[in-house]
Amino acid sequence: MSTQPPDARPDGAPTCYRHPQKETYVRCQRCERPICPDCMRDASVGFQCPECVQEGNRGGRRPRRFALRSSTAYVTWTLVGLNVLVFIGQLVDRGLEASGELVPILVADGEWWRLITSAFLHAPGTIPLHILFNMWALIVLGPQLEQALGRLRFTAVYFLSALAGSALVMWVSGIADPTIGASGAIFGLFGAIFVMARRLRLDTTWLVIIIVLNLVMTFTISGISWGAHVGGLLAGAALALVYVYAPVRRQRLVEIGGTAALAVVIAAAVLIRISVIDALIPGL
């Protein structure tokens, strides 16, 4: 009979039961033992350790997966690269910002691409705090969330959160007021990782504090689009709920259906707002 290594360091930080030198906050969904990225195996919800996967395979066919886990956060770093390249483009050509920022009346006039291009633009400023904060948050949250959800789910969370933020901005901002920034998508990641942490029964106190502080700044500092932040936060949380609580037998159907349903809700919100703007300004 072999003995297992301890699953916690002397300082209390949990470590992988197979690799005690690696700190981790993810646990196997079946046996509850802490597992590091090298030991994580995709399960219907979350991850399982290699032993539990092997045991499960003896009793039946391995479930199909909606997305593949990767230890390298390709999507996260691609998004960071795109945001940085667009920001450099803004510094070279200020017309880029004007052509991509979210202006409700222009979206109503047929320039629908602004709903997503605005999420890759940031205010330059003397000190580019806007993009620095958003990219810092993306780098901190993105890799672990991409690893936990898989690339396809993570991509859906990011872009639908950005679009949900734009949709709410369409309703709460002035029809001629411009809005830019990846904050809607970033707040979507906050919402998603909160749901994921709760599903894994992890301590979310630190995350709640960060979200609350950011919301307080959102509503107290002028020039910040609360619509993008709140819309993205709600969309990211809703989508994560679908992904981590989907029933095993209908996992793929529920996940795809939930993703499509959110996309339809966002599209409907935008189209209804466009019709309202058209009614306000005949002949637009």
Side-chain angles (χ1 to χ4, degrees):
M1 180 176 177
S2 61
T3 59
Q4 296 177 351
D7 59 3
R9 297 191 314 205
D11 61 1
T15 60
C16 176
Y17 82 98
R18 300 176 75 225
H19 303 96
Q21 75 278 11
K22 295 185 178 180
E23 180 178 343
T24 181
Y25 291 90
V26 176
R27 292 180 177 272
C28 172
Q29 292 298 295
R30 294 187 64 181
C31 67
E32 296 293 325
R33 290 179 294 188
I35 49 178
C36 69
D38 291 336
C39 298
M40 294 177 186
R41 302 294 184 268
D42 283 325
S44 57
V45 176
F47 301 102
Q48 293 183 7
C49 65
E51 284 79 3
C52 286
V53 170
Q54 186 176 6
E55 180 180 347
N57 287 340
R58 295 195 190 103
R61 192 172 59 179
R62 187 175 183 179
R64 296 175 66 187
R65 294 176 292 182
F66 179 77
L68 296 176
R69 178 189 64 82
S70 174
S71 58
T72 304
Y74 293 112
V75 176
T76 297
W77 290 110
T78 298
L79 290 170
V80 171
L82 286 174
N83 277 278
V84 172
L85 285 176
V86 172
F87 184 75
I88 294 174
Q90 286 181 254
L91 298 179
V92 175
D93 180 9
R94 295 305 299 270
L96 182 63
E97 182 176 324
S99 64
E101 60 190 4
L102 175 58
V103 183
I105 192 173
L106 295 180
V107 175
D109 196 33
E111 299 182 13
W112 52 267
W113 61 84
R114 294 175 180 269
L115 294 167
I116 192 64
T117 56
S118 59
F120 288 90
L121 296 168
H122 292 84
T126 305
I127 301 177
L129 293 178
H130 194 195
I131 188 172
L132 286 177
F133 172 79
N134 282 339
M135 293 306 99
W136 170 81
L138 179 55
I139 291 171
V140 170
L141 301 175
Q144 55 183 313
L145 191 58
E146 181 179 345
Q147 186 177 69
L149 292 177
R151 294 174 192 163
L152 291 180
R153 297 185 190 98
F154 175 76
T155 301
V157 168
Y158 189 90
F159 280 95
L160 286 182
S161 296
L163 288 171
S166 294
L168 190 53
V169 167
M170 290 283 292
W171 281 92
V172 301
S173 296
I175 61 174
D177 293 340
T179 302
I180 57 175
S183 301
I186 298 301
F187 268 77
L189 301 187
F190 277 125
I193 204 165
F194 172 78
V195 171
M196 176 66 68
R198 295 296 298 175
R199 179 66 179 85
L200 296 173
R201 295 190 291 275
L202 302 177
D203 182 12
T204 57
T205 303
W206 67 273
L207 186 56
V208 171
I209 292 174
I210 291 176
I211 293 175
V212 170
L213 286 176
N214 276 278
L215 288 175
V216 169
M217 290 189 292
T218 295
F219 287 99
T220 57
I221 299 177
S222 61
I224 296 180
S225 174
W226 69 266
H229 292 189
V230 174
L233 181 67
L234 294 176
L239 208 51
L241 282 170
V242 173
Y243 292 157
V244 302
Y245 287 101
V248 176
R249 293 185 178 180
R250 294 185 175 88
Q251 179 190 359
R252 178 170 295 187
L253 179 63
V254 171
E255 290 180 343
I256 295 176
T259 304
L262 179 59
V264 169
V265 170
I266 294 171
V270 172
L271 291 174
I272 294 172
R273 181 55 177 166
I274 287 176
S275 67
V276 172
I277 295 176
D278 287 339
L280 292 173
I281 308 176
L284 180 65

